[in-house]
Amino acid sequence: MKKFLIASLTAVVATTSVAAAAADEVQIAISHEGLDLTKASDVAEMRSRIETAVATACAKASRSSQRAACVRDGTAKAMSQLEARSRIALAYTSAAR
């Protein structure tokens, strides 16, 4: 299983068979330094950082089907968490006004 650590967000993806999943674990930190997740342009930049990091980590999978599943699952989970983080940032910003 590959594990992606995105700032304080975590996405977990499977890249190997279930039997071997525990043996293949990787953590990747993706910085959101300098980004304001209340701004669409900064969220887009974070998406780009996630896609690049996930693709790089998943490139190590031995089969193309595993790489594709790794990229699909890792990106989906990380993007879901990014969206949640963006909503929290927007809510916090709105409440502070």
Side-chain angles (χ1 to χ4, degrees):
M1 180 166 20
K2 296 245 184 217
K3 195 178 279 184
F4 298 94
L5 179 64
I6 297 143
S8 59
L9 312 175
T10 305
V12 180
V13 296
T15 60
T16 59
S17 68
V18 175
D24 189 19
E25 185 172 301
V26 175
Q27 289 189 0
I28 299 169
I30 304 169
S31 175
H32 62 69
E33 185 175 345
L35 300 179
D36 178 351
L37 297 181
T38 64
K39 295 180 180 177
S41 60
D42 287 355
V43 171
E45 172 60 28
M46 189 63 191
R47 284 185 178 129
S48 177
R49 291 179 188 185
I50 290 168
E51 289 170 353
T52 299
V54 170
T56 299
C58 292
K60 298 172 186 170
S62 60
R63 289 189 263 166
S64 63
S65 62
Q66 291 173 331
R67 282 190 296 278
C70 175
V71 169
R72 182 189 63 241
D73 295 344
T75 301
K77 290 175 183 180
M79 294 300 179
S80 174
Q81 292 181 14
L82 174 59
E83 292 302 321
R85 177 58 62 114
S86 294
R87 285 192 300 276
I88 291 168
L90 285 168
Y92 179 77
T93 301
S94 295
R97 291 182 184 166

